[in-house]
């Protein structure tokens, strides 16, 4: 087996079971990985130097094809109502078949960290079939120094082979696509999909399993900090604005997607960003747009002009889930440490496809836990396989596909941290106004930015509030510089009867969804539910 890359005596691909490889290249940096990607015909070069790769049939995650091995460790600790189980025997067979499939291949490997806090991070070794996947995960996780690489040993190992096709009858899965996780042996197997995001979310899922036992709250959120060090968290599913709204030129970006909250403060799990690129513009999102013109960036499923190689971010013909993956330091005001103190504000972002939630509302501690457990939003087109337009959904903790433990574990951790550090909590609708999806319009980003700026600088807490009659949350009556009607969703609708019927429908959906959590929460959280009882 021919090896390239800086030597690490602890690497030992054979210890993982990989044998008879044609070549393995490990810990290559961006220039070499770009060379290998082009040599192998895996991607094209866009104007400015970024790589542009297509992910084929899978343009988003495949949550229904994700499995956790059910064994002594996980039988009583994993939330099986929310996770697919795989038997140890089926995993063993899958593991052996994937190792056999890899024989004769050229593989790439990276040694990386998941977590900026050394006390709570995981050492991840990632083997990939594609060179651009190796660059992707190198961009997204934290890159150790050369001195750290020399003594690196893996806690978690990922084997990513898109050309491998699973056999449902043989491997105990649903389709030819499989993402299988064995928490006991700390192995992740990914096959049958070229969507690179599966790798990063597998690391996140593992951290969501191990960190709560250490009193650390793992969070699907972005984070930034003001000039005075005041940090803020932005919860939300993909497409709700976590990356866009946290990339604020006036604040330091801690990270755009995954963080931990420990007794010492917050810390980023990653060393890069994975931003949605559909309709990306230099004017609206200059920091993110600038990364599309950088060497080392990877663009996924973005259409390029065949002559100029200029990206067309308005073209969603391949998918609405076009993406850009880049190192965190490509953002000018990004944090070098990935750390910040305890947050002063927690923002829960929801993309309300019904168009009845206000653009911002203040939540008390019980309401914050209620909305965190509810995780209402819309699945944005393309984020998951088979989703072609926004669909209303409830994804607990704003990240149900990545939560191996019961939602109450994460909800109670969050509530304890919010109470202890006296955090202000906000519910922000980045979805529709003036009508439901197909009738109204998307909430203007300038409005959301203006409201968030007022929330984070403390001025919004001082204005007069009204109680929303449907959801029982506190909504500002007036914000300087903002049209008053935008703060009251009913006033933006032409048909008031339709607004009321739609709002009641969503209230009923909230209440029906929360039934499964009622035995896990106290009376205050139960009382935080919308007061109007409606039948869906």
């Amino acid at each position: 087996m021919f090896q390239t890359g800086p030597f690490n005596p602890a690497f030992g691909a054979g210890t993982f079971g990989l044998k008879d490889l044609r070549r393995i290249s490990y810990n290559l940096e961006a220039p070499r990985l770009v060379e290998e990607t082009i040599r192998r015909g895996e991607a094209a070069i866009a104007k400015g130097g970024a790589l542009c790769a297509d992910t084929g049939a899978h343009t988003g995650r495949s949550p229904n094809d994700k499995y956790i091995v059910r064994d002594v460790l996980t039988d009583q600790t994993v939330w099986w109502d929310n996770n697919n189980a795989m038997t140890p025997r089926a995993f063993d067979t899958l593991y052996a078949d994937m190792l056999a499939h890899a024989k004769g291949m050229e593989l790439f490997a990276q040694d990386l960290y998941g977590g900026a806090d050394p006390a709570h991070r995981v050492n991840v070794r990632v083997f990939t079939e594609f060179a651009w996947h190796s660059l992707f995960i190198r961009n997204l996780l934290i890159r150790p120094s050369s001195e750290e690489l020399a003594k690196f040993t893996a806690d978690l190992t990922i084997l990513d082979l898109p050309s491998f096709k699973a056999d449902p009858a043989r491997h105990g899965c649903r389709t030819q696509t499989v993402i299988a996780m064995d928490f006991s042996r700390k192995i992740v197997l990914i096959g049958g999909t070229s969507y690179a995001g599966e790798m990063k979310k597998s690391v996140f899922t593992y951290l969501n399993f191990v960190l709560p036992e250490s009193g650390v709250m793992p969070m699907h959120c972005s984070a930034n900090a003001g000039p005075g060090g005041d940090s803020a968290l932005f919860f939300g599913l993909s497409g709700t604005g976590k990356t866009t709204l946290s990339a604020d030129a006036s604040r330091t970006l801690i990270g755009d997607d995954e963080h931990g909250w420990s007794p010492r403060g917050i810390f980023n799990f990653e060393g890069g960003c994975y931003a949605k690129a559909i309709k990306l513009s230099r004017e609206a999102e200059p920091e993110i747009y600038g990364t599309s013109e950088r060497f080392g960036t990877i663009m996924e499923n973005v259409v390029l002009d065949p002559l100029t190689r200029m990206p067309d971010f308005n073209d969603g013909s391949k998918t609405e889930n076009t993406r850009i993956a880049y190192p965190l330091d490509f953002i000018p005001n990004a944090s070098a440490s990935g750390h910040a103190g305890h947050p002063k504000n927690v923002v829960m972002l929801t993309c309300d496809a019904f168009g009845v939630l206000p653009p911002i509302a203040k939540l008390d501690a019980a309401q914050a836990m209620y909305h965190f457990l509810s995780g209402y939003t819309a699945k944005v087109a393309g984020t998951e396989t088979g989703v072609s337009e926004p669909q209303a959904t409830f994804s607990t903790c704003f990240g149900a596909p990545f939560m191996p433990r019961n939602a109450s574990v994460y909800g109670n951790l969050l509530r304890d941290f919010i109470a202890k550090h006296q955090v202000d909590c906000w519910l922000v609708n980045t979805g529709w106004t003036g009508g439901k999806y197909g009738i109204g319009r998307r909430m203007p980003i300038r409005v959301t930015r203006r409201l968030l700026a007022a929330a984070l600088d403390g001025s919004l807490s001082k204005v007069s509030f009204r109680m929303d009659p449907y959801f029982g949350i506190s909504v500002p009556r007036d914000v300087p510089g903002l049209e008053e009607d935008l703060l009251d969703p009913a006033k933006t609708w032409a048909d008031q009867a339709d607004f009321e019927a739609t709002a009641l429908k969503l209230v009923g959906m909230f209440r029906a969804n929360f039934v499964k959590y009622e035995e896990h929460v106290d009376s205050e959280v139960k009382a935080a539910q919308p007061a109007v009882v409606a039948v869906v």
Side-chain angles (χ1 to χ4, degrees), residues 270-290:
E270 300 186 301
C273 300
Y274 194 33
K276 282 182 69 69
I278 194 69
K279 295 182 173 60
L280 180 67
S281 72
R282 193 186 303 276
E283 294 71 30
E285 301 171 77
E287 293 84 8
I288 298 173
Y289 190 95

Side-chain angles (χ1 to χ4, degrees), residues 158-216:
I158 298 174
L159 178 61
D160 171 51
L161 303 178
S163 66
F164 178 84
K165 305 299 182 185
D167 179 344
R170 179 175 172 82
H171 301 126
C173 53
R174 189 179 68 98
T175 69
Q176 292 183 325
T177 298
V178 65
I179 303 96
M181 311 186 71
D182 187 326
F183 290 148
S184 295
R185 284 184 285 183
K186 303 176 182 178
I187 294 172
V188 179
L189 304 174
I190 301 173
T193 174
S194 297
Y195 187 68
E198 298 287 11
M199 292 183 289
K200 93 180 205 84
K201 287 306 184 188
S202 294
V203 177
F204 185 45
T205 301
Y206 178 79
L207 289 169
N208 277 321
F209 180 73
V210 299
L211 289 182
E213 290 187 345
S214 301
V216 176

Side-chain angles (χ1 to χ4, degrees), residues 79 82 372-375 394-401 403 407-408 517:
W79 182 21
N82 187 61
F372 180 69
L373 291 177
S374 297
F394 292 88
S395 184
T396 186
C397 308
F398 295 98
M403 302 296 166
S408 62
Y517 303 120

